[in-house]
C-alpha cells in the first residue's frame, strides 16, 4: 500500500443478485489496511453511479453503456421463469419460451435481459422493479422471467422457478472508470481473476532479502596464506608420500 492510500477505503458497488462476499473476504486477507465499503445500486443506475464517482468499481449486468468504462465480463447466469408452486410449469424440470406462450409475463422496468421478442403475453402492467413483479406473480396474475440469482434473491415459499432453455442470458461484469484505474482497482481485478498474491500481474510484494551474495561468500577459499589454488573438493583426502 502506498502512502497515498493510507486511510482510504475501496468502494465497491453491486447490482441486485450479485454476491461479492467471496472476493471481499480475499481482499480483507490480502489488504487488511484498506476496508471495503459495499454499496447496493439498482441495475439501471450503476453506470451513472460510477461516472459520478460513487464507487471505485462495480459489478454490473451487461449490456451497459461502456463509454469511458473498462469492463471485464465474468460469468453468465441461467435464465429462469418464476411461477406459483401450483402452476403447470412447476411440474416440469425445465421449459422453453414456447411453453410460456399462453401466459402473461411481467416485464419490470429494471429488467436486465435483452429480449429480441419477449416471452408470453404482455401483462396488464409493467412493475417498477423485479421485487414488485415477484409480488404480482405470488398473487397469481402472471409469470416472471429473470436471471437465476434474482429468483433466489426474491425467494418466497409460495413460488418456485424453472430454467428456460432457449431464453437470452444475463452476464455479470466488473466495471470501473477507465481513467481511474488505481492500484486498488488493479488489486481487486487480480482478486476477481483469481491471481495469487505473488502473481507478476498483481502489485509486487515486498522484496525478500537477497541470498545469493551470502552463498558466494561461503564459497570463497579460506584466507590461510595459500597461493590461491583451489583446495581439494570436500570429502576427498590428499594423497601424501608414504614413508619408505
Amino acid at each position: 500500500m502506498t502512502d497515498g492510500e493510507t486511510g482510504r477505503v475501496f468502494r465497491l458497488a453491486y447490482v441486485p443478485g450479485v454476491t461479492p462476499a467471496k472476493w471481499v473476504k480475499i481482499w480483507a486477507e490480502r489488504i487488511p489496511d484498506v476496508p471495503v465499503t459495499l454499496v447496493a445500486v439498482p441495475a439501471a443506475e450503476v453506470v451513472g453511479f460510477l461516472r459520478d464517482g460513487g464507487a471505485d468499481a462495480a459489478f454490473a449486468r451487461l449490456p451497459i453503456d461502456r463509454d469511458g468504462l473498462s469492463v471485464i465480463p465474468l460469468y453468465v447466469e441461467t435464465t429462469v421463469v418464476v411461477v406459483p408452486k401450483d402452476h403447470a410449469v412447476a411440474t416440469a424440470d425445465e421449459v422453453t419460451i414456447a411453453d410460456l406462450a399462453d401466459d402473461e409475463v411481467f416485464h419490470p422496468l429494471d429488467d436486465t435481459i435483452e429480449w429480441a421478442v419477449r416471452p408470453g403475453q404482455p401483462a396488464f402492467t409493467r412493475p417498477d422493479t423485479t421485487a414488485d413483479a415477484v409480488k404480482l406473480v405470488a398473487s397469481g396474475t402472471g409469470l416472471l422471467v429473470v436471471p437465476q440469482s434474482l429468483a433466489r434473491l426474491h425467494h418466497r415459499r409460495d413460488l418456485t422457478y424453472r430454467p428456460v432453455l432457449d431464453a437470452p442470458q444475463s452476464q455479470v461484469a466488473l466495471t470501473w472508470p477507465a481513467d481511474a484505474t488505481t492500484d486498488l482497482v488493479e488489486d481487486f481485478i487480480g482478486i476477481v481473476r483469481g491471481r495469487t498474491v505473488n502473481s507478476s500481474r498483481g502489485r509486487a510484494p515486498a522484496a525478500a532479502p537477497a541470498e545469493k551474495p551470502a552463498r558466494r561468500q561461503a564459497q570463497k577459499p579460506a584466507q590461510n596464506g595459500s597461493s590461491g589454488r583451489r583446495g581439494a573438493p570436500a570429502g576427498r583426502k590428499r594423497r601424501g608420500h608414504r614413508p619408505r
Side-chain angles (χ1 to χ4, degrees), residues 83-91 155-162:
V83 301
K85 284 190 172 180
D86 59 357
H87 193 280
V89 165
T91 63
H155 172 72
R156 292 175 54 119
R157 295 177 63 183
D158 52 350
L159 300 179
T160 188
Y161 58 85
R162 295 291 184 269

Side-chain angles (χ1 to χ4, degrees), residues 19-189:
T19 306
K22 64 179 180 180
W23 296 299
V24 173
K25 180 181 178 183
I26 297 172
W27 176 283
E29 294 169 351
R30 294 187 185 179
I31 314 173
D33 295 332
V34 181
V36 176
T37 297
L38 294 174
V39 187
V41 181
E45 300 175 15
V46 68
V47 168
F49 190 74
L50 270 179
R51 288 177 177 156
D52 291 342
D56 298 295
F59 288 110
R61 291 185 185 278
L62 301 180
I64 58 173
D65 179 1
R66 299 191 181 202
D67 186 30
L69 299 179
S70 294
V71 177
I72 300 176
L74 298 177
Y75 58 90
V76 175
E77 286 197 66
T78 299
T79 301
V80 302
V81 58
V82 181
V83 301
K85 284 190 172 180
D86 59 357
H87 193 280
V89 165
T91 63
D93 293 329
E94 53 197 23
V95 297
T96 64
I97 290 176
D99 294 325
L100 310 177
D102 297 330
D103 289 284
E104 291 188 12
V105 178
F106 292 109
H107 181 219
L109 295 176
D110 64 355
D111 185 17
T112 58
I113 297 176
E114 275 198 314
W115 294 102
V117 179
R118 294 191 182 95
Q121 301 297 318
F124 69 93
T125 185
R126 283 200 69 184
D128 290 334
T129 67
T130 297
D132 293 335
V134 169
K135 294 176 182 177
L136 290 171
V137 174
S139 71
T141 54
L143 310 183
L144 175 65
V145 180
V146 292
Q148 182 170 294
S149 66
L150 290 179
R152 289 173 175 169
L153 177 66
H154 300 291
H155 172 72
R156 292 175 54 119
R157 295 177 63 183
D158 52 350
L159 300 179
T160 188
Y161 58 85
R162 295 291 184 269
V164 184
L165 297 181
D166 53 350
Q169 295 176 309
S170 172
Q171 187 168 27
V172 173
L174 178 66
T175 181
W176 67 95
D179 60 357
T181 308
T182 64
D183 282 345
L184 293 180
V185 171
E186 288 283 6
D187 285 332
F188 193 72
I189 292 169

Side-chain angles (χ1 to χ4, degrees), residues 199-225:
S199 170
S200 60
R201 297 197 62 183
R203 280 204 271 169
E211 295 182 0
K212 289 186 177 180
R215 287 198 293 268
R216 286 199 295 268
Q217 291 175 3
Q219 293 170 354
K220 288 183 178 179
Q223 302 297 321
N224 55 6

